[in-house]
Amino acid sequence: MDVAQYESIKTYVGFGEDSAQMLRAFHAVASPHFEGITADFYDTLERHPAARGAIVGGREQVERLKRTLVAWMHSVLLGPHDEAYLAQHARIGRVHVQIGLPQEFMLTAMNRIREQFLAHSQRAHAGSATLQAKSSRAINQVLDLELAIMLDSYRDDLLMLRLTKERQEVAEAVPVFVLALDDNGRIQLWNRALEEATGFPRTEMLGKPGKELVSDAGDRKLPIKSGGHRIARWRAAPGSGGLTYAMGVDVTSEVEMQRRTLRAERLAAVGTLAAGLAHEVRNPLNSATLQLQVLKRRVERGGRDVGTLMPVCEVVLDEIRRLDHLVTDFLAFARPRPLELRPVDPNEVVNSVLTLVRAEAESAGIELQLEQSVGLGVVPAESERLRQVLLNLMRNAIEAMGGHGTLRITTRDPDAEGFVQIEVHDTGPGFPEDAPVFDAFYTTKAAGTGLGLAIVHSIVTDHGGTISVTSEPGNTCFTIRLPTQAG
């Protein structure tokens, strides 16, 4: 019952300040009899098994309830009958629900107290019919008001209790973890599935802190009483009565399977890298071996002509340099050093790389175009690594266009997710849409190591960004997205 309803009922029964004054005057008459009224009330309950069965806890509990009833009678007569009074007396209906007192006994109990109050009022005002009528009217008004409060609270809380019981029954029936937390994060519901999985009985868990066990959406360790833990995946949502309900499933096996799969994928990736590296290393080694054999035969024949020996030596040196370049790229890809992030202006990095490749582009007949956003700001990055990324992409583009075309670099302001964007466009022949360009050792160049774009992808990812590519003949675009804040 809200305050507006309460005030409406007060008006309906005719309860006003005159009634409150009469009750305060009657309090002096009635209060010496409160103990007797209370004794009569509980004697009557004792004669009704259905009501008596609701009062559990022995003599000490009964004595406590008697003291509560005396305090209630003082409050009913003295008031003040305001908003605080409504909140306090609404709790009485809740108590009746909690102890399981049938609703009909609330009505008969209120009538029992009404009879006692009216009898004492009639005796006190036996010499004045007017005072007797006013006092009786005020008593009836306040007890009708009290009954309305109790019944409204009783109804709401009984519905809530039934709903809670139904939820508990559902929670016990479903084969998933179900728990409920109150506003303080303490456990109010712990279903059978949780008991069986953890070994903790609900009697031990109810009332304990439970917020650390669940999350809005994610995995959490669920302790086991005998030691260790399971992994539970939870979904939580607010419910009625100030409770937060969480449902979870045991994903321990799934998580372990994912770990095994990831371990297997890593081992497979290592195998692929090893096979790729062996293949790439074998080519220059074979070439160098053949040239050394040629050199050996010429020396054995007594060859001393520098003109016939030097070309062979140059080929061997080129192959050794190629091996060194391959090993350097492989180490950069497989064992990158930690980033040293500082505020970096992407436009400045783009301009510095364009300065480096301008001569290469002009000699190859490539036109350079630049479209920069003036409000780009800065990103947390390592400028040398970003230069490496852009230098690789631009040189790849120049080589791909084969002597003519346009290389366009575009920078864009942060998007809704806070990522700036750098685009590298070229007008080369492109490559198939499903080409694994970011995979290690994939290359379309005769002398390439196949690690350049793999390193580019690794650097961008280490910065918390992404790189993607679209390609068709005459239009290839690599798009780099970098966060404006460190992750």
Side-chain angles (χ1 to χ4, degrees), residues 129-151:
T130 300
L131 285 177
Q132 188 179 100
K134 287 183 178 181
S135 179
S136 297
R137 187 184 310 111
I139 291 170
N140 283 321
Q141 288 170 342
V142 76
L143 293 182
D144 287 345
L145 181 63
E146 189 68 21
L147 191 59
I149 295 171
M150 287 186 185
L151 290 176

Side-chain angles (χ1 to χ4, degrees), residues 152-163:
D152 182 82
S153 177
Y154 186 98
R155 179 200 63 200
D156 290 348
D157 283 78
L158 183 60
L159 288 173
M160 184 59 67
L161 179 64
R162 288 174 177 169
L163 182 58

Side-chain angles (χ1 to χ4, degrees), residues 259-270:
R259 287 174 181 164
R260 289 186 189 136
T261 302
L262 182 59
R263 193 177 302 121
E265 289 175 350
R266 286 174 177 169
L267 290 173
V270 169

Side-chain angles (χ1 to χ4, degrees), residues 184-195:
N184 297 317
R186 296 191 176 275
I187 297 171
Q188 302 299 312
L189 174 62
W190 184 264
N191 77 334
R192 186 179 296 113
L194 279 167
E195 288 185 314

